[in-house]
Amino acid sequence: EAGVTQFPSHSVIEKGQTVTLRCDPISGHDNLYWYRRVMGKEIKFLLHFVKESKQDESGMPNNRFLAERTGGTYSTLKVQPAELEDSGVYFCASSWLSGGYNEQFFGPGTRLTVL
Amino acid sequence: RKEVEQDPGPFNVPEGATVAFNCTYSNSASQSFFWYRQDCRKEPKLLMSVYSSGNEDGRFTAQLNRASQYISLLIRDSKLSDSATYLCVVKRAGNQFYFGTGTSLTVIP
C-alpha cells in the first residue's frame, strides 16, 4: 500500500513568489493534516481536514496560507506571497480515524526555502 | 510554556547500553501519547503509543505518569539502527498532535 506522498520534495523560491505544495494521503484516509517544522523548532500543527471540510485550522499562521482539499482526496497548501520566515519543512499526515490513539502516517515532507 | 518539553540531547551511547528519554507535557487535558521516531531528513514514524498502564514492545518500554504529566521511553540493548531522533507527541481532545523538539540518539559501535 502506498504511503502519504508529497510534491515537490524541495522548493526554492524568492520572497514574494507563490508556492503550492501537494499532499496525497493514504487511500481511504478521510483525515488529512498539515504540519510545519521551522529550523530549530518543533513540528507544529497547521490544519486538519475531514474529507473536504476544514475541521481545525487554528494553526495556520496567517492569511497568506491557503489549504484546500477538493473532493476529499489530495490536498494543496498555497503560500502567497511567501516570506522568509515561511522556510521550513512542511509535512502532511493522514489517518483513517481521528480520535484516540489513531496513528497519523506522515509523508516525507516538502522542504521549502524562501530567499 | 511549550506544550511538550524534551531534553534535546544528544545522547551518545555504546551498543548494548540502556538509554532512557523523558518528556513532560503542560496540558492536563491531554488524552493520547506517542513516541515517534524520525531518521535524518525523513518523516516521523510511529514507534509506539503510550498507554496509562505502561507498555512494552520488544526492547522498548513506554511509561505514562498522568499525575506528573510525564512520559518516558526506555530502550534496552541499544542497536546501531536505533540511532535517530525520538519525538514525544501528545494529543488533546482535538486531533492535532503537539510535538516535542525531539531527543537525538546516536548508538556507537
Side-chain angles (χ1 to χ4, degrees):
Chain A
E1 179 183 317
V4 177
T5 58
Q6 293 187 243
F7 182 84
S9 56
H10 293 80
S11 180
V12 180
I13 61 172
E14 292 187 349
K15 177 181 171 182
Q17 290 186 319
T18 296
V19 63
T20 300
L21 314 181
R22 173 171 170 144
C23 168
D24 286 79
I26 292 172
S27 178
H29 282 192
D30 287 340
N31 294 274
L32 186 150
Y33 312 82
W34 284 99
Y35 292 87
R36 176 174 74 171
R37 184 168 200 165
V38 172
M39 187 181 294
K41 305 273 188 162
E42 69 274 20
I43 297 171
K44 282 194 173 179
F45 169 83
L46 296 179
L47 87 161
H48 169 210
F49 284 99
V50 178
K51 297 185 180 179
E52 68 276 7
S53 299
K54 290 177 186 174
Q55 185 78 7
D56 180 356
E57 52 184 330
S58 60
M60 294 288 262
N62 50 60
N63 60 9
R64 295 186 293 103
F65 289 74
L66 174 65
E68 295 180 319
R69 192 182 182 193
T70 308
T73 54
Y74 70 92
S75 174
T76 58
L77 179 65
K78 180 161 65 174
V79 185
Q80 178 183 33
E83 298 289 345
L84 298 178
E85 64 265 24
D86 300 333
S87 296
V89 181
Y90 290 76
F91 289 104
C92 175
S94 72
S95 68
W96 182 42
L97 297 173
S98 60
Y101 278 90
N102 288 290
E103 179 181 357
Q104 292 185 17
F105 295 84
F106 283 78
T110 293
R111 187 172 298 273
L112 175 64
T113 303
V114 182
L115 302 176
Chain B
R1 186 182 171 188
K2 286 185 178 180
E3 287 278 342
V4 180
E5 298 264 13
Q6 284 184 259
D7 179 349
F11 284 70
N12 299 312
V13 303
E15 267 186 294
T18 295
V19 61
F21 304 140
N22 303 318
C23 165
T24 57
Y25 59 95
S26 61
N27 195 306
S28 59
S30 300
Q31 295 185 342
S32 307
F33 310 89
F34 309 86
W35 283 100
Y36 270 70
R37 169 194 168 129
Q38 186 173 24
D39 292 292
C40 188
R41 292 184 171 263
K42 299 283 189 177
E43 71 272 22
K45 291 185 178 179
L46 179 67
L47 176 66
M48 60 196 301
S49 302
V50 187
Y51 303 114
S52 295
S53 55
N55 47 297
E56 187 174 306
D57 182 3
R59 297 181 293 109
F60 300 85
T61 301
Q63 297 280 350
L64 169 64
N65 184 321
R66 286 187 182 269
S68 302
Q69 294 179 200
Y70 171 92
I71 306 160
S72 66
L73 176 68
L74 183 77
I75 305 176
R76 290 181 299 278
D77 189 24
S78 299
K79 311 290 184 191
L80 296 177
S81 57
D82 294 334
S83 297
T85 296
Y86 290 82
L87 302 168
C88 179
V89 182
V90 169
K91 188 166 73 169
R92 290 194 235 152
N95 292 296
Q96 56 174 288
F97 276 4
Y98 294 89
F99 286 81
T101 51
T103 298
S104 173
L105 171 67
T106 300
V107 181
I108 304 163

Coordinates of all heavy atoms in Angstrom, one line a residue, chain A residues 10 33 35 37 40-45 48 56 58 91 98-108 111, chain B residues 2 31-34 36 38 41-44 46 49-52 66 87 91 95-97 99-102:
Chain A
H10 N 11.5 19.3 -2.7 CA 12.2 20.6 -2.3 C 11.6 21.7 -3.2 O 11.2 21.5 -4.3 CB 13.7 20.5 -2.6 CG 14.4 19.5 -1.7 ND1 14.4 18.2 -2.0 CD2 15.2 19.7 -0.6 CE1 15.1 17.6 -1.0 NE2 15.6 18.5 -0.2
Y33 N -3.8 16.1 7.6 CA -3.3 17.1 8.4 C -2.0 17.7 7.7 O -1.3 17.1 7.0 CB -2.8 16.5 9.7 CG -3.7 15.6 10.4 CD1 -3.9 14.3 10.1 CD2 -4.5 16.0 11.5 CE1 -4.8 13.4 10.7 CE2 -5.4 15.2 12.1 CZ -5.5 13.9 11.7 OH -6.4 13.0 12.3
Y35 N 1.4 19.9 8.8 CA 2.3 20.4 9.9 C 3.5 21.1 9.3 O 3.8 20.9 8.1 CB 2.8 19.2 10.7 CG 1.8 18.4 11.5 CD1 1.1 17.4 10.9 CD2 1.6 18.8 12.8 CE1 0.2 16.7 11.7 CE2 0.7 18.1 13.6 CZ 0.0 17.0 13.0 OH -1.0 16.3 13.8
R37 N 7.7 22.3 10.2 CA 8.8 22.4 11.1 C 9.8 23.5 10.6 O 10.4 23.4 9.6 CB 9.6 21.1 11.2 CG 10.7 21.2 12.3 CD 11.3 19.8 12.6 NE 12.0 19.9 13.9 CZ 12.3 18.8 14.5 NH1 12.0 17.6 14.1 NH2 13.0 18.9 15.7
G40 N 15.2 24.3 13.9 CA 15.4 24.5 15.3 C 14.2 24.5 16.2 O 14.4 24.5 17.4
K41 N 13.1 24.3 15.6 CA 11.8 24.3 16.4 C 11.1 23.0 16.3 O 11.5 22.1 15.5 CB 10.9 25.4 16.0 CG 11.5 26.8 16.0 CD 11.4 27.5 17.3 CE 11.8 28.9 17.2 NZ 11.3 29.7 18.3
E42 N 10.1 22.8 17.1 CA 9.3 21.6 17.0 C 8.4 21.6 15.8 O 8.0 22.7 15.3 CB 8.5 21.3 18.3 CG 7.4 22.3 18.5 CD 7.8 23.6 19.2 OE1 9.0 23.9 19.2 OE2 6.9 24.2 19.8
I43 N 7.9 20.4 15.4 CA 6.9 20.3 14.4 C 5.6 20.9 14.9 O 5.2 20.6 16.0 CB 6.7 18.8 14.0 CG1 8.0 18.3 13.4 CG2 5.5 18.7 13.0 CD1 7.9 16.8 13.1
K44 N 5.0 21.8 14.1 CA 3.7 22.4 14.6 C 2.6 22.2 13.7 O 2.7 22.2 12.4 CB 4.0 23.9 14.8 CG 4.7 24.3 16.0 CD 4.6 25.8 16.3 CE 5.3 26.1 17.7 NZ 5.2 27.5 18.0
F45 N 1.4 22.0 14.3 CA 0.2 21.7 13.5 C -0.2 23.0 12.8 O -0.1 24.1 13.3 CB -0.9 21.4 14.5 CG -2.3 21.3 14.0 CD1 -2.8 20.2 13.4 CD2 -3.1 22.4 14.2 CE1 -4.1 20.2 12.9 CE2 -4.4 22.4 13.7 CZ -4.9 21.3 13.1
H48 N -6.3 20.7 9.8 CA -6.9 19.3 9.8 C -8.1 19.3 8.9 O -9.0 20.1 9.1 CB -7.2 18.8 11.2 CG -8.0 17.5 11.2 ND1 -8.9 17.3 12.3 CD2 -8.0 16.5 10.4 CE1 -9.4 16.1 12.1 NE2 -8.9 15.6 11.0
D56 N -10.2 21.9 11.6 CA -9.5 22.8 12.5 C -8.3 23.5 11.8 O -7.5 22.8 11.2 CB -8.9 21.9 13.7 CG -8.1 22.7 14.7 OD1 -7.9 23.9 14.5 OD2 -7.7 22.1 15.7
S58 N -6.7 26.2 13.2 CA -6.2 27.1 14.2 C -4.7 27.3 14.2 O -4.2 28.3 14.7 CB -6.5 26.5 15.6 OG -6.0 25.3 15.8
F91 N 5.1 19.0 6.5 CA 4.7 17.6 6.5 C 3.2 17.5 6.3 O 2.4 18.3 6.9 CB 5.1 17.0 7.8 CG 6.6 16.7 8.0 CD1 7.3 17.6 8.8 CD2 7.2 15.7 7.3 CE1 8.7 17.3 9.0 CE2 8.6 15.5 7.5 CZ 9.3 16.3 8.3
S98 N -10.0 9.6 13.5 CA -9.4 10.8 14.1 C -9.3 10.9 15.6 O -8.7 11.8 16.2 CB -10.1 12.1 13.6 OG -11.5 12.0 14.0
G99 N -9.9 9.9 16.3 CA -9.9 10.0 17.7 C -8.8 9.2 18.4 O -8.1 8.4 17.7
G100 N -8.7 9.3 19.6 CA -7.9 8.5 20.5 C -6.5 8.2 20.0 O -5.7 9.1 19.7
Y101 N -6.1 7.0 19.9 CA -4.8 6.5 19.6 C -4.6 6.2 18.1 O -3.7 5.5 17.7 CB -4.4 5.3 20.4 CG -3.9 5.7 21.8 CD1 -4.8 5.8 22.9 CD2 -2.6 6.1 22.0 CE1 -4.4 6.2 24.1 CE2 -2.1 6.4 23.3 CZ -3.0 6.5 24.3 OH -2.6 6.9 25.6
N102 N -5.4 6.8 17.3 CA -5.3 6.5 15.8 C -4.0 7.1 15.3 O -3.7 8.3 15.4 CB -6.5 7.0 15.1 CG -7.7 6.2 15.4 OD1 -7.8 5.1 14.9 ND2 -8.6 6.7 16.1
E103 N -3.2 6.3 14.7 CA -1.9 6.7 14.2 C -2.0 7.7 13.0 O -2.9 7.5 12.1 CB -1.1 5.5 13.7 CG 0.3 5.8 13.2 CD 1.0 4.5 12.7 OE1 0.5 3.4 12.9 OE2 2.1 4.7 12.2
Q104 N -1.2 8.7 13.0 CA -1.1 9.6 11.9 C 0.1 9.1 11.1 O 1.2 9.0 11.7 CB -1.0 11.0 12.3 CG -2.3 11.6 12.9 CD -2.2 13.0 13.2 OE1 -1.4 13.8 12.7 NE2 -3.2 13.5 14.1
F105 N 0.0 8.9 9.8 CA 1.0 8.5 8.9 C 1.6 9.7 8.2 O 0.8 10.4 7.5 CB 0.6 7.5 7.9 CG 0.1 6.2 8.5 CD1 -1.2 6.0 9.0 CD2 1.0 5.1 8.6 CE1 -1.6 4.8 9.6 CE2 0.6 3.9 9.2 CZ -0.7 3.8 9.7
F106 N 2.8 10.0 8.3 CA 3.4 11.2 7.7 C 4.0 10.9 6.3 O 4.6 9.9 6.0 CB 4.5 11.7 8.7 CG 3.9 12.4 9.9 CD1 3.5 11.7 10.9 CD2 3.9 13.8 9.9 CE1 2.9 12.3 12.0 CE2 3.3 14.4 11.0 CZ 2.9 13.7 12.1
G107 N 3.9 12.0 5.5 CA 4.6 12.0 4.3 C 6.1 12.4 4.5 O 6.4 12.8 5.6
P108 N 6.9 12.4 3.4 CA 8.3 12.7 3.5 C 8.6 14.2 3.7 O 9.7 14.5 4.0 CB 8.9 12.1 2.2 CG 7.8 12.2 1.3 CD 6.5 11.9 2.0
R111 N 10.6 20.4 1.6 CA 11.5 21.4 2.2 C 11.4 22.7 1.4 O 11.8 22.7 0.2 CB 12.9 20.8 2.2 CG 13.9 21.7 2.9 CD 15.3 20.9 3.0 NE 15.1 19.7 3.7 CZ 15.3 19.6 5.1 NH1 15.5 20.6 5.8 NH2 15.1 18.4 5.6
Chain B
K2 N 6.1 25.7 26.6 CA 5.8 24.8 25.5 C 4.8 23.7 25.9 O 4.8 23.2 27.0 CB 7.1 24.1 25.0 CG 8.0 25.1 24.2 CD 9.2 24.3 23.7 CE 10.1 25.3 22.9 NZ 11.3 24.6 22.4
Q31 N -4.8 13.6 26.1 CA -5.5 12.3 26.1 C -4.7 11.2 25.6 O -4.8 10.0 26.0 CB -6.8 12.4 25.4 CG -7.8 13.4 26.0 CD -9.2 13.4 25.3 OE1 -9.3 12.9 24.2 NE2 -10.2 13.9 26.0
S32 N -4.0 11.4 24.5 CA -3.2 10.3 23.9 C -1.8 10.7 23.8 O -1.4 11.9 23.6 CB -3.8 10.1 22.5 OG -5.2 9.9 22.5
F33 N -0.9 9.7 23.8 CA 0.5 9.9 23.9 C 1.3 8.9 23.0 O 0.9 7.8 22.9 CB 1.0 9.8 25.4 CG 0.1 10.6 26.3 CD1 -1.0 10.0 26.9 CD2 0.4 11.9 26.6 CE1 -1.9 10.8 27.8 CE2 -0.4 12.6 27.5 CZ -1.5 12.1 28.1
F34 N 2.3 9.4 22.4 CA 3.0 8.6 21.4 C 4.5 8.9 21.5 O 4.9 10.0 21.9 CB 2.5 8.9 20.0 CG 1.1 8.9 19.8 CD1 0.3 10.0 20.1 CD2 0.4 7.8 19.3 CE1 -1.1 10.0 19.9 CE2 -0.9 7.8 19.1 CZ -1.7 8.9 19.4
Y36 N 7.3 9.0 18.5 CA 7.6 8.8 17.1 C 9.1 8.8 16.9 O 9.8 9.4 17.7 CB 7.0 10.0 16.3 CG 5.6 9.7 15.8 CD1 4.5 9.7 16.7 CD2 5.3 9.5 14.4 CE1 3.2 9.4 16.2 CE2 4.0 9.3 14.0 CZ 3.0 9.2 14.8 OH 1.7 9.0 14.4
Q38 N 12.2 9.7 14.2 CA 12.5 10.4 12.9 C 14.0 10.2 12.6 O 14.8 10.6 13.3 CB 12.1 11.9 13.0 CG 12.3 12.6 11.7 CD 11.8 14.0 11.8 OE1 11.7 14.7 12.8 NE2 11.4 14.6 10.6
R41 N 16.4 13.7 8.0 CA 15.7 14.1 6.7 C 14.6 13.2 6.2 O 14.4 13.1 5.0 CB 16.8 14.3 5.6 CG 17.7 15.5 5.9 CD 18.7 15.8 4.9 NE 19.3 17.1 5.1 CZ 19.0 18.3 4.6 NH1 18.0 18.3 3.7 NH2 19.6 19.4 4.9
K42 N 14.0 12.5 7.2 CA 12.9 11.6 6.8 C 11.7 12.0 7.6 O 11.7 13.0 8.4 CB 13.2 10.1 7.2 CG 14.4 9.6 6.5 CD 14.1 9.2 5.1 CE 15.2 8.4 4.4 NZ 14.9 8.0 3.1
E43 N 10.6 11.4 7.3 CA 9.3 11.7 8.0 C 9.3 11.0 9.4 O 9.9 10.0 9.6 CB 8.1 11.3 7.2 CG 7.9 9.8 7.1 CD 8.6 9.2 5.9 OE1 9.6 9.8 5.4 OE2 8.2 8.1 5.5
P44 N 8.5 11.6 10.3 CA 8.3 10.9 11.6 C 7.5 9.6 11.4 O 6.6 9.6 10.6 CB 7.5 11.9 12.4 CG 7.6 13.2 11.7 CD 7.9 12.9 10.3
L46 N 5.6 6.3 13.6 CA 5.2 5.9 15.0 C 6.1 4.8 15.5 O 6.3 3.7 14.8 CB 3.8 5.4 14.9 CG 3.2 4.9 16.2 CD1 3.1 6.1 17.2 CD2 1.8 4.3 16.0
S49 N 2.6 3.8 20.8 CA 1.7 4.6 21.6 C 2.1 4.3 23.1 O 2.7 3.3 23.5 CB 0.3 4.1 21.3 OG 0.0 4.3 20.0
V50 N 1.7 5.3 23.9 CA 1.9 5.2 25.4 C 0.6 5.1 26.1 O -0.1 6.1 26.1 CB 2.8 6.4 25.9 CG1 3.2 6.1 27.3 CG2 4.0 6.6 25.0
Y51 N 0.4 4.0 26.8 CA -0.9 3.8 27.5 C -0.7 4.0 29.0 O 0.4 3.9 29.5 CB -1.4 2.4 27.2 CG -1.6 2.2 25.7 CD1 -0.9 1.2 25.1 CD2 -2.6 2.9 25.0 CE1 -1.1 1.0 23.7 CE2 -2.7 2.7 23.6 CZ -2.0 1.7 23.0 OH -2.1 1.5 21.7
S52 N -1.8 4.3 29.7 CA -1.7 4.6 31.1 C -1.1 3.5 31.9 O -0.4 3.8 32.9 CB -3.2 4.8 31.6 OG -3.7 6.0 31.0
R66 N 0.3 10.3 34.5 CA -0.6 11.4 34.3 C -0.5 12.5 35.4 O -0.7 13.7 35.2 CB -2.0 10.9 34.2 CG -2.3 10.2 32.9 CD -3.8 9.9 32.8 NE -4.1 9.2 31.5 CZ -4.5 9.8 30.4 NH1 -4.5 11.1 30.4 NH2 -4.8 9.1 29.3
L87 N 10.7 11.6 19.0 CA 9.8 12.7 19.2 C 8.7 12.3 20.2 O 8.0 11.3 20.0 CB 9.2 13.1 17.9 CG 10.1 13.5 16.8 CD1 9.4 13.6 15.5 CD2 10.7 14.9 17.1
K91 N -1.6 14.4 22.2 CA -2.8 14.8 21.6 C -3.9 15.1 22.6 O -4.1 14.3 23.6 CB -3.3 13.7 20.6 CG -4.5 14.2 19.7 CD -4.7 13.2 18.6 CE -5.3 12.0 19.0 NZ -5.8 11.2 17.9
N95 N -7.7 16.8 17.3 CA -6.9 15.8 16.6 C -5.5 16.3 16.2 O -4.7 15.6 15.5 CB -7.6 15.3 15.3 CG -8.8 14.6 15.7 OD1 -8.7 13.5 16.3 ND2 -10.0 15.1 15.4
Q96 N -5.1 17.5 16.6 CA -3.8 17.9 16.3 C -2.7 17.3 17.3 O -3.0 17.2 18.5 CB -3.7 19.4 16.3 CG -4.1 20.1 17.6 CD -3.9 21.6 17.5 OE1 -2.7 22.0 17.6 NE2 -4.9 22.4 17.4
F97 N -1.6 17.0 16.7 CA -0.5 16.5 17.5 C 0.3 17.7 18.0 O 0.5 18.6 17.3 CB 0.4 15.6 16.7 CG 0.0 14.2 16.5 CD1 -1.2 13.7 17.0 CD2 0.8 13.3 15.8 CE1 -1.6 12.4 16.9 CE2 0.4 11.9 15.7 CZ -0.7 11.5 16.2
F99 N 4.1 18.3 19.3 CA 5.4 17.6 19.3 C 6.4 18.3 20.2 O 6.4 19.5 20.4 CB 6.0 17.7 17.8 CG 5.3 16.8 16.8 CD1 4.2 17.2 16.2 CD2 5.9 15.6 16.5 CE1 3.6 16.4 15.3 CE2 5.4 14.8 15.5 CZ 4.2 15.2 14.9
G100 N 7.2 17.4 20.8 CA 8.4 18.0 21.4 C 9.5 18.2 20.3 O 9.3 17.8 19.1
T101 N 10.6 18.9 20.7 CA 11.6 19.2 19.7 C 12.4 17.9 19.3 O 13.2 17.9 18.3 CB 12.5 20.3 20.2 OG1 13.0 19.9 21.5 CG2 11.8 21.6 20.2
G102 N 12.3 16.9 20.1 CA 13.0 15.6 19.8 C 14.2 15.5 20.6 O 14.9 16.4 21.0

